[in-house]
């Protein structure tokens, strides 16, 4: 497995990671036994970069990941996040970046994961009511205490990234990035490269859309979060499917799946970009890893750009309330 370096502080991860969120929530269906087996298979294949967060479940995903890596901690580069508050019933209670909250979240994550140190600790969403300097200052204290190795931000604006990086080096920015979400190219990616910050692309398969698995709204299981996502609804869905058909045609010619093509496209965006496709099955994991064997020429990239140009996607990437939490 190829390795990539995130930031300039020494964080080395597998060229492709594994997003663990869907193993516990948001995407319908749950099978903890298969999820643990998927994490074990990832480690066997050299996919050592595992991504979770305290809000997933809520909190149960960290327990699951911790169980899976027990006895294999040295093989994993473990990333988790804080900042999105949720009640015991799962209700979303807002974003919190206060220093005392940062510390309490870290202690909780360490306990649930069953580890002594978190490799990469992200602020999941920026708390616009708390100066970023205060939040990152508290995160920096955790590094000094040996509870966290490296710091990251998620969905932060260029201005916020600069202010945070001035307090303590930021090793990675995690933001949605894929063929159907190219927003980071508007500023965050350039700032990361200017400051020497790695880029972690979440939802690199467009929440499963770019796999070609979903052809109708009805294909989305009952209780699945994507039934609320604007891009999977009505005319938006139909327009997005039209573009997907062209992407699938290129993938057939390349002898790969559309998911592998989408991931290969991300790998080709730079050695500082690491996608973390999520899955809860070993079969999908192995398919995703196969993307690393797909080579795209400049001609291939130009053709992909022609059929799926920047901004082609119909509909916002989140419902309105969730979009408001983005630090634009």
């Amino acid at each position: 497995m190829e390795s990539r370096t995130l930031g300039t502080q020494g964080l080395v991860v597998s060229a492709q990671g594994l997003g663990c969120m869907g193993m516990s929530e948001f995407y319908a269906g749950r099978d903890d036994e298969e999820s643990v087996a998927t994490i074990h298979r990832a480690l066997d294949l050299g996919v050592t970069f595992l991504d979770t967060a305290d809000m997933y479940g809520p909190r149960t995903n960290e327990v699951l990941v911790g169980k899976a890596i027990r006895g294999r901690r040295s093989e994993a580069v473990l990333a988790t996040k804080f900042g999105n508050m949720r009640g015991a019933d799962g209700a979303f209670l807002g974003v919190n970046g206060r220093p005392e909250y940062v510390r309490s979240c870290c202690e909780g994550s360490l306990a649930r994961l069953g580890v002594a140190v978190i490799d990469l600790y992200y602020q999941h969403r920026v708390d616009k009511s708390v100066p970023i300097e205060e939040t990152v200052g508290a995160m920096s204290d955790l590094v000094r205490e040996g509870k966290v190795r490296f710091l990251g931000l998620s969905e932060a604006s260029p201005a916020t990234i600069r202010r945070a990086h001035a307090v303590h080096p930021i090793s990675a920015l995690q933001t949605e990035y894929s063929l159907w979400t190219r927003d980071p190219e508007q500023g965050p990616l350039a700032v990361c490269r200017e400051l020497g910050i790695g880029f972690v692309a979440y939802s690199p398969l467009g929440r499963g859309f770019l796999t070609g698995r979903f052809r109708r709204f009805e294909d989305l299981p009952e209780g699945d979060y994507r039934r609320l996502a604007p891009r999977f609804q009505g005319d938006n869905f139909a327009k997005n499917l039209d573009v997907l058909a062209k992407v699938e045609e290129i993938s057939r010619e390349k002898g790969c799946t559309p998911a592998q093509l989408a991931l290969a496209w991300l790998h080709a965006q730079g050695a500082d970009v690491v996608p973390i496709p999520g899955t809860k099955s070993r079969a999908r994991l192995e398919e995703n890893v196969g993307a690393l064997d797909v080579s795209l020429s400049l001609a291939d990239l130009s053709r992909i750009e022609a059929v799926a140009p920047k901004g082609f996607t119909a509909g916002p990437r989140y419902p309105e309330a969730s979009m408001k939490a983005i630090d634009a």
Side-chain angles (χ1 to χ4, degrees), residues 54 82-83 96-109 121-123 130 134-142 148 151:
D54 61 4
F82 74 92
N96 192 335
R98 295 193 300 272
E100 63 274 17
Y101 185 73
V102 175
R103 178 169 292 278
S104 67
C105 284
C106 181
E107 298 291 353
S109 290
Y121 200 41
Y122 294 102
Q123 182 183 22
V130 177
E134 294 184 15
T135 303
V136 175
M139 295 168 72
S140 181
D141 289 341
L142 297 173
V148 170
L151 302 185

Side-chain angles (χ1 to χ4, degrees), residues 199-237:
F199 193 97
V200 177
Y202 78 80
S203 290
L205 297 176
R207 296 180 175 80
F209 180 85
L210 295 171
T211 68
R213 175 184 170 194
F214 306 109
R215 300 295 178 177
R216 306 170 304 145
F217 180 81
E218 291 73 22
D219 291 338
L220 297 166
E222 291 289 341
D224 193 292
Y225 154 79
R226 288 166 290 198
R227 283 180 166 250
L228 303 175
R231 292 181 176 178
F232 285 91
Q233 298 178 358
D235 290 343
N236 289 342
F237 199 5

